[in-house]
């Protein structure tokens, strides 16, 4: 039986909904609910990969349309290369996280694990449906479903921090939804339809187009977690269960990026260069501030959440460069910029998903996210340590892993901006490269700290000392993502043409040549060439060759000569000498970049939102007695007075009541006549 991509897409959505329904029906058998939800996620993810793969490789758009319940609610499904990329990314991470959940969610048994299965599957199904729907009415419905389902995952633990984080997330998410609704309303008012195809045919330009873009950019930017709309992200993502954190940080924030691309490029055509400059500028600021704030954290999951702000910034830098290329009619710049953004979107989903799952494994065994209470886990959790190390190397853009390739293409896009005719664009390219370089250096320091404090040295708590390796499903999930990181890096000559095809579908031009043999290049081999397979072989040879020389020339190796405590300048080793999260790197950087750290407090909406909520409560408390005394009590007194006056009508005589009925009928008859 030949199943079409849309058929696999329907199977995927059906499996997610079946997983949610099974969890709903099994509240008293939580272990079975956990298994049903996890298996449905694994199978749904596999079906989603099968749905996306043909469109990613072939580039053919799959369409389905049907009449909706209302004239404006025309049900249209569009699986184009951009939507296929999003479905692929979502499905890949869902498959792995669902496998991980088979063991991880057991920790929540007795605390509503069955409900977690409901919200997780609805969350995933709404994301998949959102990226393929081609009508604004259904898009907003699925967007709201995604936000609400993820909100319930954020507050799942029901402690004070989780509820507070969920409240902030709820406010910012729905403020963004209002902006998105306003953007779609303008397009609807100008086109007379809510179908995205009518928005594309509108070719909106001038102030109205800029208004729509700005509304959509900041509306979707709130979901993406870009600066200055990021304050919810480092609080909400750590509060959610770790496999949900991986989905939120790995794919949900990409829905925000997808929305910016959908409106700015697909629907509006990226007609103004300053749109791309704005995206590039905010992306660069988000990248630097995100990693700078991550460095100051000692909570491992908050560190990873701030790092998501950084990587969303890097993605936006590539998207911004692509939008500048489209507006300036420079197809190669447009294609390379979007290629870089799409490649990093895929890569970040994989390595950030792995890092969150690694943090979840640490939390599962040690019951803490505080890096100052960890240490020594490399010998106790070797598989987790190895997988986390691969993810940390990838996020630091070390070759030949996937993060290196996408950041290399981002550099090439920024470098290509130097040949533009517009002076502002020529200046923006080098500035962007400097900020990306700063981001890379700080990211390396950040993840040396994260890995070193968590896995190296001696245990700094009893929980860390007694930690054991995570269960098999969790280890397998992490190893699958680690393998994907290596594959998407070393296999860049195979992955890059696929990303170029997605970029070309938006630029509406020919797919540029970006790979040949084992090498990749930014549209022109004269500018730069990168061979990740060759890099991998050279890097493997670096440690292997010395080892072979030693083994061949040395003969019998001497026994290890050192034992005991680490060298402490002649003094006895003490626990106080152990590096801490604050003293490792963060303290000098906090002093150096003190104004930027103060900016984080100014941009944090937690304080103003709490004060606003308290003001509303106090105002209500003051207003309620006045309302009761001046309005409600007066109305009650009037009703009681009228009741006393008409009480004589209730004589208790049944014949009088019949007379009332006859009299009323006569009056009604006279009125009708």
């Amino acid at each position: 039986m030949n199943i079409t991509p849309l058929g696999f897409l329907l199977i995927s959505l059906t499996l997610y909904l079946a997983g949610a329904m099974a969890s709903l029906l099994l509240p008293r058998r939580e272990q079975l609910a956990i298994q049903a939800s996890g298996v449905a996620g694994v199978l749904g993810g596999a079906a989603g990969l099968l749905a996306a793969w043909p469109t990613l490789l072939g580039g053919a758009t799959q369409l389905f349309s049907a009449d909706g319940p209302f004239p404006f609610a025309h049900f249209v499904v569009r699986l184009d290369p951009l939507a296929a990329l999003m479905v692929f990314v979502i499905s890949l991470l869902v498959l792995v996280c669902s496998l991980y959940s088979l063991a991880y969610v057991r920790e929540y048994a007795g605390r509503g694990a069955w409900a977690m299965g409901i919200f997780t599957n609805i969350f995933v199904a709404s994301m998949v449906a959102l990226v393929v729907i081609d009508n604004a009415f259904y898009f907003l419905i699925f967007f709201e479903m995604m936000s609400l389902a993820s909100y319930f995952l954020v507050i799942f633990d029901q402690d004070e921090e989780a509820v507070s984080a969920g409240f902030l997330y709820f406010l910012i998410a729905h403020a963004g939804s209002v902006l998105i609704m306003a953007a779609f309303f303008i397009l609807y008012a100008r086109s007379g339809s809510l179908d995205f195809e009518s928005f594309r045919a509108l070719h909106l330009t001038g102030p109205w187009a800029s208004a729509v873009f700005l509304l959509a950019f900041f509306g979707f930017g709130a979901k993406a977690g870009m600066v200055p709309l990021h304050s919810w992200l480092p609080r909400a993502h750590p509060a959610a269960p770790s496999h949900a954190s991986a989905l939120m940080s790995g794919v949900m924030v990409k829905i925000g990026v997808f929305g910016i691309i959908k409106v700015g490029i697909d629907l509006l055509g990226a007609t103004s260069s300053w749109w791309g400059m704005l995206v590039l500028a905010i992306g660069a600021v988000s990248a630097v501030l995100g990693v700078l704030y991550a460095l100051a954290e000692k909570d491992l999951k908050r560190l990873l959440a701030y790092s998501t702000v950084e990587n969303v910034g890097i993605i936006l830098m590539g998207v911004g460069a692509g939008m500048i290329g489209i507006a300036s009619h420079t197809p190669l710049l447009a294609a390379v910029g979007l290629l870089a953004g799409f490649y990093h979107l895929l890569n970040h989903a994989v390595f950030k998903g792995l890092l969150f799952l690694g943090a979840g494994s640490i939390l599962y065994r040690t019951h803490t996210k505080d890096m100052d209470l960890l240490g020594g886990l490399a010998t106790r959790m070797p598989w987790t340590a190895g997988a986390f190390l691969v993810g940390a190397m990838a996020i630091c853009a070390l070759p030949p892993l996937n993060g290196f390739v996408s950041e290399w293409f981002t550099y090439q896009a920024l470098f290509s901006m130097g040949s533009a005719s517009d002076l502002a664009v020529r200046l923006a390219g080098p500035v962007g490269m400097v900020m990306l370089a700063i981001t890379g250096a700080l990211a390396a320091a950040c993840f040396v700290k994260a890995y070193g404090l968590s896995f190296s040295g001696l245990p700094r708590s009893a929980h860390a000392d007694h930690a054991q390796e995570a269960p098999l499903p969790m280890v397998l999930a992490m190893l699958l993502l680690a393998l994907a990181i290596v594959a998407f890096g070393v296999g860049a000559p195979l992955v890059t043409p696929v990303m170029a095809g997605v970029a070309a579908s938006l630029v509406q031009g020919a797919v540029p040549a970006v790979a040949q043999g084992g090498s990749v290049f930014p549209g022109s081999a004269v500018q730069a060439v990168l061979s990740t397979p060759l890099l991998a072989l050279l890097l493997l040879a670096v440690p292997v060759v010395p080892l072979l020389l030693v083994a061949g020339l040395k003969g019998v190796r001497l026994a290890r000569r050192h034992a005991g405590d680490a060298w402490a300048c002649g003094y006895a080793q003490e626990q106080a000498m152990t590096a801490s999260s604050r003293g490792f790197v963060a303290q000098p950087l906090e002093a150096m970049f003190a104004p930027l750290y103060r900016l984080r407090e100014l941009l944090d909406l937690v304080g103003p939102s709490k004060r606003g909520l308290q003001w509303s409560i106090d105002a209500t408390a003051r207003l309620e007695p006045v309302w009761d005394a001046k309005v409600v009590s007066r109305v009650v007194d009037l009703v009681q007075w009228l009741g006393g006056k008409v009480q004589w009508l209730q004589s208790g005589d049944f014949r009088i009541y019949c007379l009332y009925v006859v009299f009323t009928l006569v009056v009604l008859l006279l009125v009708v006549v």
Side-chain angles (χ1 to χ4, degrees):
M1 183 174 60
N2 187 20
I3 304 177
T4 65
L6 290 181
F8 278 116
L9 184 67
L10 179 60
I11 293 172
S12 177
L13 290 171
T14 303
L15 286 166
Y16 295 139
L17 295 178
M21 183 61 66
S23 298
L24 178 63
L25 296 176
L26 295 169
R28 298 182 182 277
R29 303 184 64 184
E30 284 196 317
Q31 293 298 334
L32 188 56
I34 292 170
Q35 300 299 319
S37 174
V39 171
V42 170
L43 296 177
L49 293 176
L50 293 174
W53 192 247
T55 301
L56 280 177
L57 290 183
T61 298
Q62 307 285 326
L63 286 172
F64 171 81
S65 62
D67 293 333
F70 311 106
F72 56 82
H74 190 209
F75 191 82
V76 183
V77 175
R78 179 187 173 95
L79 186 61
D80 56 19
L82 175 60
L85 173 63
M86 294 301 301
V87 171
F88 182 87
V89 172
I90 295 169
S91 301
L92 175 62
L93 205 55
V94 168
L95 188 155
V96 176
C97 290
S98 298
L99 174 62
Y100 184 91
S101 73
L102 292 173
Y104 179 79
V105 180
R106 294 174 192 164
E107 187 80 1
Y108 291 85
R111 293 190 286 156
W114 61 275
M116 187 185 297
I118 298 172
F119 295 128
T120 302
N121 280 282
I122 291 176
F123 172 51
V124 172
S126 59
M127 284 195 293
V128 173
L130 184 151
V131 298
V132 299
I133 204 68
D134 213 47
N135 178 279
F137 174 73
Y138 295 106
F139 185 98
L140 292 170
I141 290 176
F142 293 133
F143 193 87
E144 189 66 18
M145 287 174 58
M146 175 188 68
S147 297
L148 288 175
S150 56
Y151 164 75
F152 286 114
L153 291 172
V154 170
I155 66 169
F156 194 84
D157 280 334
Q158 291 294 300
D159 56 28
E160 183 178 355
E161 174 59 28
V163 173
S164 176
F167 177 71
L168 179 63
Y169 170 55
F170 188 86
L171 288 180
I172 295 181
H174 286 81
S177 297
V178 170
L179 296 179
I180 296 168
M181 289 180 194
F184 285 158
F185 180 78
I186 293 174
L187 291 170
Y188 169 70
R190 307 287 291 186
S191 67
S193 172
L194 287 175
D195 288 347
F196 285 166
E197 191 57 44
S198 68
F199 297 167
R200 295 185 188 96
L202 185 59
H203 300 298
L204 194 64
T205 57
W208 282 114
S210 296
V212 170
F213 170 73
L214 289 174
L215 288 168
F217 177 61
F218 288 105
F220 286 112
K223 181 64 69 177
M226 70 182 191
V227 173
L229 305 173
H230 68 289
S231 58
W232 65 272
L233 195 151
R235 301 193 65 209
H237 287 199
S242 294
H243 69 298
S245 297
L247 290 172
M248 292 175 68
S249 193
V251 293
M252 187 188 74
V253 297
K254 310 307 189 319
I255 298 296
V257 176
F258 168 80
I260 293 170
I261 296 170
K262 189 75 174 177
V263 175
I265 300 178
D266 186 24
L267 303 184
L268 296 178
T271 54
S272 298
S273 291
W274 70 264
W275 296 0
M277 294 287 283
L278 177 64
V279 175
L280 175 61
I282 290 186
V285 172
S286 298
V288 174
L289 292 184
V291 69
L292 196 62
Y293 296 156
L295 262 168
E297 289 297 331
K298 69 174 185 176
D299 183 304
L300 181 57
K301 289 183 72 174
R302 278 178 64 90
L303 180 150
L304 296 177
Y306 270 121
S307 174
T308 295
V309 177
E310 167 216 345
N311 282 275
V312 165
I314 295 173
I315 295 169
L316 290 179
M317 291 177 74
V319 172
M323 293 178 70
I324 292 170
I326 294 173
S328 60
H329 305 291
T330 312
L332 187 57
L333 172 59
V336 174
L338 291 177
L339 185 159
F342 292 148
Y343 209 150
H344 202 71
L345 185 150
L346 169 65
N347 292 341
H348 176 253
V350 176
F351 59 63
K352 184 53 63 67
L354 171 57
L355 292 171
F356 264 111
L357 296 186
S361 296
I362 293 172
L363 180 61
Y364 186 86
R365 287 307 193 192
T366 66
H367 305 286
T368 182
K369 299 176 288 183
D370 189 342
M371 290 184 288
D372 287 341
L373 300 178
L374 299 176
L377 296 180
T379 57
R380 292 158 178 81
M381 305 177 68
W383 291 106
T384 299
F388 194 96
L389 180 60
V390 172
M393 293 170 64
I395 202 171
C396 293
L398 296 182
L401 303 179
N402 60 351
F404 170 75
V405 182
S406 52
E407 289 198 28
W408 183 83
F409 271 110
T410 306
Y411 276 113
Q412 298 306 319
L414 296 172
F415 183 80
S416 299
M417 290 170 60
S419 60
S421 58
D422 190 340
L423 177 61
V425 175
R426 290 206 305 272
L427 292 175
V431 172
M433 283 189 282
V434 170
M435 297 189 75
L436 186 57
I438 293 172
T439 300
L442 293 175
C446 179
F447 283 92
V448 166
K449 163 188 166 178
Y451 185 86
L453 291 177
S454 301
F455 294 99
S456 301
L458 297 175
R460 293 184 291 277
S461 68
H463 286 300
D465 193 23
H466 295 94
Q468 298 177 357
E469 186 55 86
L472 181 61
M474 297 167 65
V475 171
L476 286 177
M478 290 185 287
L479 292 180
L480 283 174
L481 287 179
L483 181 62
I485 286 172
V486 177
F488 291 153
V490 177
L494 300 176
V495 179
T496 303
V498 176
M499 298 298 141
V502 179
S505 70
L506 291 171
V507 179
Q508 295 180 348
V511 179
V514 290
Q516 184 175 6
S519 301
V520 296
F521 44 88
S524 171
V526 177
Q527 179 172 320
V529 177
L530 171 67
S531 176
T532 48
L534 179 60
L535 271 176
L537 291 175
L538 292 175
L539 289 170
L540 287 174
V542 167
V544 170
V545 171
L547 290 175
L548 292 175
L549 290 175
V550 170
L553 300 177
K554 185 176 181 181
V556 180
R557 301 185 61 185
L558 297 176
R560 297 177 65 88
R561 295 181 178 180
H562 59 81
D565 294 335
W567 169 248
C569 302
Y571 294 93
Q573 178 76 15
E574 297 178 6
Q575 188 66 24
M577 297 177 180
T578 305
S580 67
S581 61
R582 180 169 173 79
F584 195 91
V585 179
Q587 193 170 12
L589 287 174
E590 285 183 12
M592 187 184 304
F593 296 103
L596 295 180
Y597 281 105
R598 285 196 294 272
L599 181 63
R600 175 170 63 169
E601 298 175 4
L602 295 175
L603 294 175
D604 193 353
L605 298 178
V606 176
S609 63
K610 284 186 175 179
R611 288 193 294 271
L613 179 61
Q614 189 60 46
W615 180 87
S616 302
I617 294 172
D618 294 341
T620 303
R622 290 193 300 269
L623 181 61
E624 188 175 8
V626 176
W627 175 263
D628 288 343
K630 301 296 184 183
V631 179
V632 177
S633 296
R634 299 290 176 84
V635 172
V636 171
D637 292 342
L638 178 61
V639 171
Q640 289 178 341
W641 179 82
L642 290 174
K645 293 298 183 183
V646 302
Q647 196 170 8
W648 61 271
L649 293 172
Q650 299 180 2
S651 63
D653 191 333
F654 179 73
R655 292 170 296 179
I656 297 296
Y657 296 154
C658 291
L659 182 61
Y660 291 161
V661 173
V662 173
F663 178 75
T664 303
L665 292 174
V666 172
V667 171
L668 291 175
L669 182 60
L670 291 174
V671 170
V672 172
V673 173

